[in-house]
Amino acid sequence: MKLVAAEKKVKKKSGHLSLILFVLPAFIFYILFLFIPTIGAGVYSFTDWNGLNKTFNFVGFSNYIEAFRDDAAFRHSFIFTLKYTIFIFVIQNVAALGLALLIESRIKSKGFFRTIFFMPNMISLIISSLMFSFIFTNVFPELSKQAIFSVLDQSWIGDPKVSFYSILIVSLWQGIGYMMVIYMAALQGVPKQLKEAAMIDGANAFQRIIHVVLPMIMHAITICSFLTLNGAFKVFDVVYALTQGGPGTSTQVMALNIYEEAFSNNFRFGYANAKAMILFLVVLIITLIQVRILKRKEVEA
């Protein structure tokens, strides 16, 4: 018995060692490329560092005060980012879930449609943005000459009222398929017996989705909501490639405003880090609230 117990302890220790060895490389990369830079950004946000000099002065909370009180461009970028996030969060999740439900009901062509809708996600968002830039500036003007496509006669990138929707179109085209696959994976885990029982009880298709399907896939809704909110608040590439924040600063998001403050304007790295920390705290707080609410729904379900 003692020999068996000793063997179990050895196996348990070797299992723990294997786990540590597998996790260690990812943990090292996390520390080097995420944790340390985040701490460094927090420290530099209280300085007037320009990103080049070895010396800098601590300025306290003046960078944060300037960002909130005096920087109208930063406040506008925050409002625009919030607007973009709300639109992306609602449309992307509703569309992805709707497509997942629709495709899941088509048994024969399920694999084909899953592949078609996921394919845009395999393309870099920068390449997608450049491709749509060509479509907006060259293809749509030609199509608008035909009476049936006259609605396309818009300045899709040059008009501040329309450029926001151009960014939305590209982001949704590229991102819906990824969320759809997550929802489809969750839908496959819903027991058929529950849906059949609801059908026997007289529930229609909409009632089955609301009262049976959605509670069973709440974990997928939590994941997709987290990914959508996180990505939307930190959006940079699609805006930079499509409009570069223009016309003027009408489509400038927070990440682009921070980038320009650090690299394109006065090389105010300390001030840019203060803005980055504000963005980090906003994303952290909203994500924690969202996850807490949806996790509670999971428990209730």
Side-chain angles (χ1 to χ4, degrees), residues 253-267:
V253 290
M254 293 179 72
L256 183 56
N257 180 273
I258 294 167
Y259 169 83
E260 291 190 346
E261 192 68 56
F263 299 102
S264 300
N265 291 346
N266 301 319
F267 291 95

Side-chain angles (χ1 to χ4, degrees), residues 141-151:
E142 291 298 321
L143 289 176
S144 66
K145 294 177 182 177
Q146 306 296 326
I148 192 173
F149 296 115
S150 59
V151 70

Side-chain angles (χ1 to χ4, degrees), residues 63-115:
N63 287 332
Y64 291 91
I65 295 171
E66 181 181 350
F68 284 111
R69 187 183 64 187
D70 303 326
D71 199 333
F74 182 67
R75 292 197 301 270
H76 174 269
S77 69
F78 174 77
I79 294 170
F80 182 84
T81 305
L82 186 62
K83 177 183 174 183
Y84 170 85
T85 301
I86 293 171
F87 272 79
I88 286 291
F89 177 78
V90 175
I91 299 174
Q92 187 160 285
N93 281 287
V94 171
L97 180 57
L99 284 172
L101 290 167
L102 184 62
I103 295 173
E104 196 63 29
S105 65
R106 302 177 64 89
I107 298 174
K108 293 183 179 180
S109 54
K110 186 188 301 183
F112 171 77
F113 284 107
R114 183 192 297 146
T115 303

Side-chain angles (χ1 to χ4, degrees), residues 192-231:
K192 292 183 179 179
Q193 296 87 339
L194 289 178
K195 292 186 281 188
E196 291 172 356
M199 191 183 302
I200 293 171
D201 288 340
N204 56 36
F206 180 75
Q207 289 172 330
R208 291 197 298 273
I209 292 172
I210 296 297
H211 298 291
V212 178
V213 175
L214 289 185
M216 294 297 296
I217 65 168
M218 190 57 67
H219 60 287
I221 295 174
T222 302
I223 293 170
C224 290
S225 299
F226 171 78
L227 293 175
T228 305
L229 281 174
N230 232 344

Side-chain angles (χ1 to χ4, degrees), residues 38-290:
T38 302
I39 298 299
V43 173
Y44 284 122
S45 68
F46 296 100
T47 70
D48 60 356
W49 186 48
N50 63 4
L52 299 173
N53 294 342
K54 294 182 179 180
T55 58
F56 50 82
N57 299 310
F58 281 93
V59 295
F61 287 93
S62 62
N63 287 332
Y64 291 91
I65 295 171
E66 181 181 350
F68 284 111
R69 187 183 64 187
D70 303 326
D71 199 333
F74 182 67
R75 292 197 301 270
H76 174 269
S77 69
F78 174 77
I79 294 170
F80 182 84
T81 305
L82 186 62
K83 177 183 174 183
Y84 170 85
T85 301
I86 293 171
F87 272 79
I88 286 291
F89 177 78
V90 175
I91 299 174
Q92 187 160 285
N93 281 287
V94 171
L97 180 57
L99 284 172
L101 290 167
L102 184 62
I103 295 173
E104 196 63 29
S105 65
R106 302 177 64 89
I107 298 174
K108 293 183 179 180
S109 54
K110 186 188 301 183
F112 171 77
F113 284 107
R114 183 192 297 146
T115 303
I116 290 297
F117 283 107
F118 185 75
M119 282 179 65
N121 189 258
M122 300 172 66
I123 305 173
S124 167
L125 194 51
I126 289 287
I127 296 174
S128 299
S129 302
L130 295 175
M131 181 177 67
F132 270 92
S133 179
F134 175 81
I135 293 172
F136 290 143
T137 56
N138 293 279
V139 178
F140 278 8
E142 291 298 321
L143 289 176
S144 66
K145 294 177 182 177
Q146 306 296 326
I148 192 173
F149 296 115
S150 59
V151 70
L152 298 177
D153 188 17
Q154 306 281 343
S155 179
W156 290 87
I157 297 177
D159 188 344
K161 296 180 180 178
V162 183
S163 53
F164 170 73
Y165 299 102
S166 302
I167 296 170
L168 276 183
I169 290 171
V170 180
S171 300
L172 292 170
W173 180 83
Q174 206 262 355
I176 285 178
Y178 185 78
M179 300 301 166
M180 181 201 72
V181 170
I182 297 176
Y183 282 125
M184 288 186 70
L187 288 172
Q188 291 173 1
V190 179
K192 292 183 179 179
Q193 296 87 339
L194 289 178
K195 292 186 281 188
E196 291 172 356
M199 191 183 302
I200 293 171
D201 288 340
N204 56 36
F206 180 75
Q207 289 172 330
R208 291 197 298 273
I209 292 172
I210 296 297
H211 298 291
V212 178
V213 175
L214 289 185
M216 294 297 296
I217 65 168
M218 190 57 67
H219 60 287
I221 295 174
T222 302
I223 293 170
C224 290
S225 299
F226 171 78
L227 293 175
T228 305
L229 281 174
N230 232 344
F233 264 109
K234 297 186 294 185
V235 64
F236 174 83
D237 39 11
V238 61
V239 178
Y240 185 77
L242 198 63
T243 66
Q244 294 187 339
T249 58
S250 60
T251 60
Q252 190 178 75
V253 290
M254 293 179 72
L256 183 56
N257 180 273
I258 294 167
Y259 169 83
E260 291 190 346
E261 192 68 56
F263 299 102
S264 300
N265 291 346
N266 301 319
F267 291 95
R268 299 181 64 191
F269 272 71
Y271 185 44
N273 276 315
K275 292 182 177 182
M277 292 307 297
I278 293 171
L279 174 59
F280 169 76
L281 291 173
V282 169
V283 174
L284 178 64
I285 292 169
I286 292 178
T287 301
L288 288 175
I289 293 172
Q290 170 257 318

